Amino acid sequence: MIHFNVPAITGKEQEYIAQAILNKKLSGDGNFTKQCNEWFENHFRTRKALLTTSCTHALELAAILADIQEGDEVIMPSYTFVSTANAFVLRGARIVFVDIRPDTMNIDETLIEAAITKYTKAIVPVHYAGVSCEMEVIMDLALRYNLLVIEDAAQGVMSTYKGRALGTIGHMGCFSFHETKNYNCGEGGAILLNDNSFVERAEIIREKGTNRALFFRGEIDKYTWVDVGSSYLPSEINAAFLYAQLESAEVINSDRLKSWNLYYKLLRPLQEKGQIELPNIPMECVHNAHMFYLKVKNLEERTALMAFLKEKGVMSVFHYVPLHSSTAGRRFGKMHAEDRFTSQESDKLLRLPLYYNFGEDQIGRVVDSIYSFFINK
Ligand SMILES: *Cc1c(COP(=O)(O)O)cnc(C)c1O
């Protein structure tokens, strides 16, 4: 059977976890956490990176930092994971969903301005499949309307837009290291703070609302409760695992891209015959091969293809049920203007197996199965 995902293992994870145990420091913010934070700061050029327990928690931290209050509005695509919305709903925000572009499945930047009201506080672009949203337009709107931009870059680690790392373009960015993402530690995340003014408060919120980070750096002589907060720092065991992955980030990235490119090349003839649609990577984006998806005619065809692939031992999955049509989405938000593409395009999308060390033979098998499905169509 061809699994949909197998978490990446680079070989150094056990050694680093053993080292974390020997260090006799297993709670958060030990050496491995520091090394991970510095790795992001050095490779992606952000003011400050802080590991968190998940991307969900990084988004929650961002929502507190953005000072989201009851009744504020936050703009995001409906085609995203629940955590993108939940983080802001937890602060009392109303979610304003904006339609997506069918070519990238990202928020349609040309529709955002019309959704801005006097209640709007933030825009949350989601870089679907590790392919960047049109950030120049989004940052320009943020500047003109005095809004914060929080990038949900859960899928975008190692991707760039006009040469800049995803997660470092908005005021804040959030990463995920869940086992289904390119670099993982089982469960984990990070927040990138691209503006110095957020750094001190982020450290406080992440440490239960205390100024403990300042205390450990010797900047104050005792630590106390100074703000709202929670516990968003991961264990050193997780950080040790993640650091092994970061050291191999280039290897993982190029291996995934090789698989992605092979899928693309082999499936292109089907696109040319008009039977499927393949992902579009805009000129200004360099992606990280987080995901390989294709789109078919409609929901019925997708359901049939998924079942056909399963029979052939190939596990494929579809993605988000658009949030604006979900029970909680209807309660906490609304679609701004027309749902032209969100529902229609999400019904057509199917994700194919892709992971580190996937291998050409397996890609060949997946592609052959897809061709046999379409042979009589
Ligand atoms: C995976 C994902 C998340 C959540 O990440 P966790 O680390 O599992 O909390 C949030 N947003 C998007 C777009 C994701 O793909």
Side-chain angles (χ1 to χ4, degrees):
M1 195 185 42
I2 300 183
H3 296 283
F4 173 70
N5 178 59
V6 177
I9 300 289
T10 67
K12 285 274 192 131
E13 288 84 355
Q14 289 195 11
E15 183 190 326
Y16 287 179
I17 286 175
Q19 214 171 303
I21 295 169
L22 286 175
N23 289 349
K24 296 189 169 49
K25 160 84 177 137
L26 296 180
S27 62
D29 282 343
N31 279 339
F32 281 109
T33 305
K34 288 197 187 104
Q35 281 178 279
C36 290
N37 293 346
E38 281 166 19
W39 193 94
F40 294 121
E41 288 159 14
N42 296 334
H43 285 77
F44 298 156
R45 282 177 300 142
T46 170
R47 297 266 174 248
K48 186 84 193 162
L50 295 168
L51 283 196
T52 59
T53 30
S54 63
C55 182
T56 301
H57 280 166
L59 288 160
E60 287 181 25
L61 208 172
I64 299 173
L65 271 175
D67 204 23
I68 301 295
Q69 305 286 328
E70 193 80 36
D72 288 345
E73 292 179 356
V74 176
I75 293 173
M76 64 180 65
S78 166
Y79 188 65
T80 184
F81 188 59
V82 294
S83 296
T84 320
N86 259 329
F88 298 90
V89 168
L90 279 167
R91 315 307 318 157
R94 296 282 306 159
I95 308 299
V96 178
F97 297 113
V98 167
D99 208 9
I100 54 168
R101 296 164 41 153
D103 66 335
T104 57
M105 305 299 281
N106 283 332
I107 191 166
D108 186 337
E109 69 280 358
T110 65
L111 302 177
I112 295 174
E113 188 163 14
I116 296 173
T117 71
K118 63 177 187 214
Y119 303 109
T120 308
K121 258 299 200 26
I123 306 171
V124 187
V126 179
H127 306 300
Y128 187 72
V131 177
S132 182
C133 299
E134 191 38 73
M135 290 306 290
E136 207 160 87
V137 174
I138 293 171
M139 294 313 292
D140 176 60
L141 282 172
L143 191 67
R144 282 196 284 127
Y145 290 91
N146 195 25
L147 306 173
L148 287 173
V149 174
I150 297 156
E151 296 177 70
D152 183 339
Q155 304 176 10
V157 184
M158 294 282 280
S159 294
T160 61
Y161 168 83
K162 299 193 174 174
R164 294 172 69 188
L166 300 193
T168 70
I169 304 165
H171 301 89
M172 308 170 208
C174 301
F175 286 164
S176 174
F177 308 114
H178 185 263
E179 71 163 32
T180 51
K181 302 303 201 294
N182 292 22
Y183 312 96
N184 90 99
C185 57
E187 300 274 358
I191 185 164
L192 307 191
L193 305 160
N194 305 317
D195 186 319
N196 266 336
S197 65
F198 294 116
V199 174
E200 189 173 319
R201 190 160 183 243
E203 289 183 327
I204 289 169
I205 295 163
R206 180 169 165 272
E207 263 282 21
K208 298 102 182 159
T210 71
N211 49 11
R212 199 162 167 209
L214 291 176
F215 173 73
F216 279 126
R217 287 202 296 265
E219 292 173 33
I220 47 172
D221 59 9
K222 60 174 187 293
Y223 79 87
T224 60
W225 185 24
V226 293
D227 201 341
V228 293
S230 189
S231 187
Y232 291 137
L233 64 172
S235 140
E236 273 288 287
I237 305 270
N238 282 44
F241 191 105
L242 181 63
Y243 192 63
Q245 305 245 318
L246 296 181
E247 280 189 332
S248 297
E250 283 298 344
V251 178
I252 294 175
N253 195 47
S254 54
D255 178 78
R256 293 186 74 109
L257 279 165
K258 205 174 95 209
S259 296
W260 196 99
N261 291 331
L262 184 58
Y263 261 137
Y264 194 89
K265 185 177 123 200
L266 296 176
L267 288 169
R268 226 169 131 166
L270 271 185
Q271 170 164 265
E272 274 151 19
K273 282 168 71 185
Q275 289 182 300
I276 59 170
E277 270 177 75
L278 295 176
N280 172 48
I281 314 292
M283 275 259 295
E284 51 279 359
C285 302
V286 174
H287 74 116
N288 60 358
H290 172 61
M291 185 194 303
F292 195 92
Y293 67 79
L294 53 81
K295 289 197 247 171
V296 296
K297 215 165 51 211
N298 54 31
L299 182 60
E300 289 67 45
E301 190 168 79
R302 182 182 75 184
T303 309
L305 176 57
M306 245 180 109
F308 183 86
L309 291 177
K310 194 170 171 198
E311 245 172 63
K312 301 260 175 198
V314 175
M315 306 314 280
S316 60
V317 305
F318 57 86
H319 228 165
Y320 321 124
V321 174
L323 297 184
H324 75 282
S325 55
S326 68
T327 309
R330 284 201 301 266
R331 186 162 145 215
F332 299 119
K334 61 167 194 310
M335 189 82 190
H336 179 266
E338 202 189 338
D339 169 11
R340 245 184 102 196
F341 294 115
T342 300
S343 298
Q344 177 195 301
E345 297 301 305
S346 66
D347 277 351
K348 304 199 295 199
L349 186 142
L350 190 67
R351 302 175 60 188
L352 302 181
L354 175 63
Y355 47 85
Y356 175 53
N357 266 337
F358 188 45
E360 290 187 14
D361 302 358
Q362 304 217 87
I363 293 175
R365 272 186 57 195
V366 177
V367 170
D368 285 349
S369 306
I370 294 170
Y371 272 87
S372 36
F373 177 80
F374 282 106
I375 203 140
N376 298 317
K377 302 242 161 191

